[in-house]
Amino acid sequence: PETPSLHVMIVTRSKSELPAPSAEGSVVSIGVFDGVHKGHQQILADNVARARATGARPSVVTFSSHPKRLLLGRAPKTLTTLEHRLELFRRAGILHTLVLQFDEETRSTTAERFISEILLSGMDARSFVLGFDSKFGLEQRGTPALLRELGHEVQVSEKVVVSGRAVSSTAIREAVELGDLKSAEAMLGRRVSAFGEVVKGRGLGRELGFPTANLNLHHELSPPTGVYACLVRKIDTNAPHAPKEVYQAVTNIGFRPTVEETRPERPQVEALLLDFAGDLYGEYLELEFVARLRGEERFEDLEALSSQIARDVEEARGILTGIQLTN
């Protein structure tokens, strides 16, 4: 059978673009799924298993931005941007994802109307797989209990607990921000990763003999400043099911004190792909953080910086030899 990593997932970004109902119908899960952590993975795995058992299409309804942005006027930095989440859904075996904007219309939609118009008419839902704390619709009245009252089949995935604490996106964010990658990995079920678009930088790395890819993470959370040994996967967003190119890398997250006259507003993310030559501008890369090599430092001059980068490269090669991706 085809492996999940090769599945072609349909992504619908508007209710008006939903495909016509299919004969097999859908098993639907609903949520933001920020981080696609162990708890989310359990929901997705249960969805795929139920869909296979019933001959239905495993499907997800998610949101383009975090609902807290509208509900509270602010939102946390995401563990995974929308495009990163979609990539992880696809790897999990999901075949259709509807992406909704969480706007005033969505906010004011009653749970009953959401079920009728979005889930039943739009997604052709035949059954549901939801998290133990899943809520949707106006005043969060959409729950497994309500769906059951309305006569629908609902499977509730069990809570996933790590080190005595329920896995949550909030707990993972805290761990990542503190640089506690091991705790974050335990809750994610994979290494901490970041997903971003390669944008033009100053080209200083190339002058030093170490050309780097500068990443725009689009508000995605990254580990604290420092130098990391990473595995890097190049993602073709136009052909997400295509085989991925994987490289070893040294990644610097920080403010580049040796070369910046004024401190940038936010940390810069630069990945030096080992044994790679080519143009990456406009490409998407997924970085998987394997180990922290050192903190960010200010060097006396560019020669000292270049020498340290060479040592970082050798250390990273030693760490990364034989290491496989966990995503």
Side-chain angles (χ1 to χ4, degrees), residues 194 196 198-199 205 210-217 227-233 247-253 256 268-274 276 280 285-289 309 313:
V198 180
V199 295
F210 299 102
T212 58
N214 296 268
L215 266 72
N216 179 351
L217 300 187
V227 180
Y228 296 83
C230 293
L231 292 176
V232 177
R233 179 164 20 200
Y247 300 93
Q248 296 178 348
V250 172
T251 298
N252 184 77
I253 301 174
R256 310 198 306 177
Q268 309 296 299
V269 181
E270 301 171 280
L272 167 59
L273 275 61
L274 310 185
F276 172 83
L280 288 168
L285 300 180
E286 184 179 25
L287 310 182
E288 191 171 287
F289 294 90
I309 293 173
V313 167

Side-chain angles (χ1 to χ4, degrees), residues 9 33 47 139 190 282 291 318:
M9 183 177 72
F33 296 103
N47 183 314
E139 299 175 347
R190 54 187 169 81

Side-chain angles (χ1 to χ4, degrees), residues 145-162:
L146 176 63
L147 282 163
R148 287 177 178 139
E149 286 174 21
L150 295 172
H152 302 294
E153 292 185 15
V154 183
Q155 177 179 340
V156 177
S157 298
E158 292 185 9
K159 180 192 300 185
V160 176
V161 176
V162 171

Side-chain angles (χ1 to χ4, degrees), residues 8-190:
V8 178
M9 183 177 72
I10 298 168
V11 179
T12 307
R13 297 177 188 262
S14 167
K15 291 179 287 185
S16 62
E17 296 174 2
L18 280 163
S22 58
E24 68 269 21
S26 300
V27 176
V28 176
S29 299
I30 310 156
V32 178
F33 296 103
D34 184 29
V36 194
H37 56 56
K38 273 189 171 180
H40 299 145
Q41 290 163 29
Q42 185 63 58
I43 295 168
L44 298 176
D46 289 345
N47 183 314
V48 170
R50 187 178 184 90
R52 284 178 179 161
T54 59
R57 175 188 289 170
S59 304
V60 163
V61 175
T62 193
F63 302 95
S64 56
S65 60
H66 203 293
K68 285 184 179 178
R69 186 175 302 281
L70 182 63
L71 297 174
L72 303 178
R74 65 186 186 281
K77 273 195 170 184
T78 55
L79 292 162
T80 44
T81 57
L82 174 62
E83 295 304 323
H84 197 177
R85 274 183 283 148
L86 292 175
E87 174 69 15
L88 295 170
F89 290 165
R90 186 189 56 74
R91 288 180 204 162
I94 297 301
L95 293 183
H96 180 208
T97 297
L98 170 62
V99 180
L100 295 176
Q101 283 190 322
F102 195 87
D103 52 19
E104 284 293 349
E105 180 186 354
T106 304
R107 177 185 187 177
S108 61
T109 299
T110 64
E112 291 83 357
R113 183 181 164 200
F114 191 91
I115 293 167
S116 174
E117 294 184 6
I118 304 293
L119 304 180
L120 299 181
S121 296
M123 297 295 290
D124 197 20
R126 305 293 170 87
S127 63
F128 301 89
V129 175
L130 301 177
F132 70 95
D133 58 352
S134 181
K135 296 180 179 66
F136 59 88
L138 183 64
E139 299 175 347
Q140 297 190 319
R141 289 191 61 252
T143 62
L146 176 63
L147 282 163
R148 287 177 178 139
E149 286 174 21
L150 295 172
H152 302 294
E153 292 185 15
V154 183
Q155 177 179 340
V156 177
S157 298
E158 292 185 9
K159 180 192 300 185
V160 176
V161 176
V162 171
S163 300
R165 183 180 185 183
V167 172
S168 71
S169 301
T170 300
I172 297 169
R173 284 188 205 104
E174 291 173 0
V176 172
E177 288 178 326
L178 290 171
D180 186 358
L181 300 188
K182 290 301 179 186
S183 292
E185 286 172 19
M187 291 183 280
L188 283 167
R190 54 187 169 81

